[in-house]
Amino acid sequence: MRLTDYFLPVLKETPAEATIASHQFMLRAGMIKQDSAGIYIWLPLGLKVLRKIENIVREEQNRAGAIEMLMPTIQSAGHWKETGRYDAYGPEMLRITDRGDRELLYGPTNEDMITDMFRSYVKSYKDLPKCLYHIQWKFRDERRPRFGVMRGREFLMKDAYTFDVDKEAAVKSYNRQFIAYLNTYERLGLKAVPMRADTGPIGGDLSHEFLILADTGESEVFCHKDLVDMAAPGDVSDGDMQAVVDSRTSLYAATDEMHDADEFAKVPADKQLSARGIEVGHIFYFGEKYSEPMKASVQTADGKSANIHMGSYGVGVSRLVGGIIEASHDENGIIWPKAVAPFDVGIINLKSGDAEADAACETLYSQLKAAGLDPLYDDRDDRGGQKFARMDLIGLPYQIVIGPRGLKEGKYEVKDRKTGEKQSLTPEETLTFITAQF
């Protein structure tokens, strides 16, 4: 994409309402624009990142055997009244009455709706287990929306739901999602630590949050240091899933609300880690909490009737955009992991309008595209300092600087945004180096 053809409304100054890095940089880099409190327009650069994260989440859900569907944003209040959650949920739920005086709501989550859907079709244990998921916009009327997309009112979420014949089978489904989450975060370039968690209004007695460590995190985190450095497990056989989960959950990890100082003291002093963390996922096994009041049951192998055992598994897709920035930035701007960067590489033309510089940039731009990469070519007639600052702000993994002085020596300057390391390479070396990084 040529910058002169793109829509990238960057800001020089940090808006006063932005108090954390992700909110500041997302506004300044032209990724989002606030429309009202806690509700944002996703501009082209932000949408590219959002879609890349969404696709990685989708691919790992599919890899774990989950099946994608799509539920509506507006739900019937009847489902929620059947489970008792309509009145219990609180003012965060946006309640609506349509022209026929039917009570509706803008869904903050989907356990009630999907339980109703599932009971309509599944009657036998032979049709279990199943895992269904969707990636859908949700709304929670936060009392104090703040921190940009980190705590907005409207947000994009992946929520999956598992259905099993009994607790033993349901725990296997839970473990499969647990592993899928570890794989997802590693692909996103994040180190996410699973922590014991309160089940809250979702219900149940088995729950984990996944948190990434960042100074601006809302939660205080206490964990064994080894958890932060563990590699994702990749593909795991059914027989090995429990061992993988145990390897993570046997080491101490908890947020402040679940922290046990006495238990944490048993961790060797050199392995104790106390930090701040940002929640980027939450999973629950809640058994019959919804299937019992909604009479969602199946016939078992012995001919009896049994309530379905369920779990739900959420990933804040839009929240992850902010979470990644909080975990990966410097004073100049964002530093995107390669997998989610809006463009792979930025080309900076130091003298737009110079025939030789223009030709060199056009050639490299075409070569990178032909190699399957997605370059952003800054062909605007701006000063070099403006171009450098803009490119650092939007945080592409690599920058290639082309100008008259370097061209006299037959060299381009290649900068690694993460490390700041610069190399002087020939055009051929530049193309070989960049393509080898992806």
Side-chain angles (χ1 to χ4, degrees):
M1 175 63 66
R2 291 177 172 82
L3 190 55
T4 51
D5 294 332
Y6 200 50
F7 184 68
L8 186 65
V10 298
L11 304 177
K12 291 183 180 179
E13 304 296 329
T14 299
E17 72 272 17
T19 59
I20 64 172
S22 60
H23 194 190
Q24 294 169 353
F25 289 139
M26 289 182 75
L27 290 171
R28 287 191 53 213
M31 296 179 66
I32 56 172
K33 180 187 183 300
Q34 182 171 314
D35 189 61
S36 61
I39 298 177
Y40 292 88
I41 299 168
W42 287 82
L43 301 175
L45 196 77
L47 183 62
K48 287 197 74 173
V49 176
L50 185 68
R51 291 296 182 233
K52 286 193 171 187
I53 294 172
E54 177 185 343
N55 286 336
I56 288 173
V57 171
R58 174 178 289 110
E59 287 167 6
E60 290 302 321
Q61 284 296 297
N62 295 344
R63 182 182 177 190
I67 305 165
E68 188 170 10
M69 59 181 296
L70 184 63
M71 288 177 274
T73 56
I74 304 298
Q75 303 183 27
S76 167
H79 304 322
W80 288 69
K81 289 183 176 181
E82 197 172 351
T83 61
R85 286 213 298 171
Y86 186 70
D87 295 320
Y89 202 87
E92 290 79 18
M93 181 190 291
L94 182 62
R95 293 163 170 83
I96 307 165
T97 302
D98 69 9
R99 68 178 67 192
D101 289 329
R102 289 176 288 264
E103 293 180 297
L104 304 169
L105 58 99
Y106 193 138
T109 185
N110 285 76
E111 286 83 5
D112 317 76
M113 173 180 280
I114 201 165
T115 304
D116 172 70
M117 184 279 295
F118 204 76
R119 71 179 173 182
S120 300
Y121 300 110
V122 178
K123 306 298 183 184
S124 170
Y125 74 97
K126 295 180 180 179
D127 294 320
L128 302 177
K130 285 289 184 292
C131 180
L132 301 173
Y133 79 98
H134 73 160
I135 300 175
Q136 178 63 289
W137 290 97
K138 302 193 185 301
F139 185 90
R140 293 176 190 167
D141 195 5
E142 294 278 355
R143 184 184 300 274
R144 291 179 57 236
R146 58 195 188 278
F147 305 149
V149 300
M150 298 296 293
R151 190 169 287 278
R153 293 196 294 164
E154 185 182 57
F155 53 96
L156 187 64
M157 183 175 177
K158 185 284 299 181
D159 40 324
Y161 303 90
T162 54
F163 305 86
D164 290 276
V165 71
D166 55 28
K167 182 174 182 177
E168 181 181 1
V171 170
K172 290 180 180 178
S173 293
Y174 183 94
N175 290 345
R176 186 174 290 108
Q177 282 289 318
F178 188 106
I179 290 167
Y181 274 47
L182 295 175
N183 291 333
T184 298
Y185 296 125
E186 180 160 281
R187 285 189 60 190
L188 292 171
L190 295 171
K191 292 288 187 181
V193 181
M195 311 246 173
R196 292 182 292 114
D198 183 18
T199 57
I202 299 294
D205 58 6
L206 176 60
S207 178
H208 286 87
E209 292 177 329
F210 292 79
L211 288 94
I212 57 175
L213 304 184
D215 292 339
T216 52
E218 292 185 90
S219 300
E220 191 170 2
V221 169
F222 303 87
C223 72
H224 195 294
K225 285 184 178 179
D226 289 355
L227 277 171
V228 180
D229 297 322
M230 284 188 174
D235 290 323
V236 179
S237 67
D238 288 353
D240 292 333
M241 286 194 303
Q242 188 64 59
V244 171
V245 173
D246 288 345
S247 70
R248 268 70 175 181
T249 56
S250 61
L251 295 176
Y252 189 91
T255 56
D256 42 8
E257 63 181 6
M258 300 290 286
H259 176 52
D260 184 325
D262 292 335
E263 287 299 312
F264 188 57
K266 296 176 184 178
V267 176
D270 64 334
K271 292 292 186 180
Q272 292 179 4
L273 176 63
S274 176
R276 307 296 299 181
I278 298 170
E279 181 196 334
V280 289
H282 204 159
I283 63 177
F284 306 83
Y285 160 66
F286 43 71
E288 303 170 64
K289 176 180 171 65
Y290 300 93
S291 61
E292 183 174 7
M294 299 188 81
K295 298 178 173 59
S297 60
V298 294
Q299 186 180 51
T300 61
D302 57 8
K304 296 179 181 179
S305 179
N307 292 328
I308 296 170
H309 283 246
M310 295 174 57
S312 69
Y313 313 85
V315 169
V317 177
S318 53
R319 182 181 175 87
L320 271 166
V321 180
I324 291 171
I325 295 172
E326 291 297 329
S328 184
H329 69 273
D330 61 17
E331 67 277 8
N332 296 318
I334 305 163
I335 303 173
W336 289 115
K338 294 175 188 176
V340 299
F343 295 93
D344 298 320
V345 58
I347 302 172
I348 297 174
N349 187 341
L350 283 183
K351 195 170 184 181
S352 296
D354 177 86
E356 189 176 0
D358 288 351
C361 289
E362 289 288 347
T363 297
L364 180 61
Y365 178 65
S366 298
Q367 290 173 329
L368 290 170
K369 290 180 67 176
L373 300 186
D374 188 11
L376 177 65
Y377 171 25
D378 189 344
D379 59 341
R380 292 181 57 172
D381 188 18
D382 293 332
R383 291 181 290 105
Q386 290 178 281
K387 295 189 175 190
F388 293 141
R390 183 163 51 226
M391 205 61 81
D392 277 350
L393 174 63
I394 66 176
L396 308 185
Y398 296 95
Q399 301 170 15
I400 303 171
V401 181
I402 300 177
R405 183 180 299 176
L407 286 172
K408 288 180 180 178
E409 300 175 0
K411 298 290 183 69
Y412 302 161
E413 182 182 272
V414 179
K415 175 183 172 181
D416 184 316
R417 176 66 181 90
K418 184 176 182 179
T419 66
E421 180 183 352
K422 297 177 181 179
Q423 304 179 70
S424 183
L425 303 176
T426 67
E428 294 77 14
E429 290 169 340
T430 299
L431 183 62
T432 299
F433 173 77
I434 293 294
T435 55
Q437 308 308 309
F438 295 93

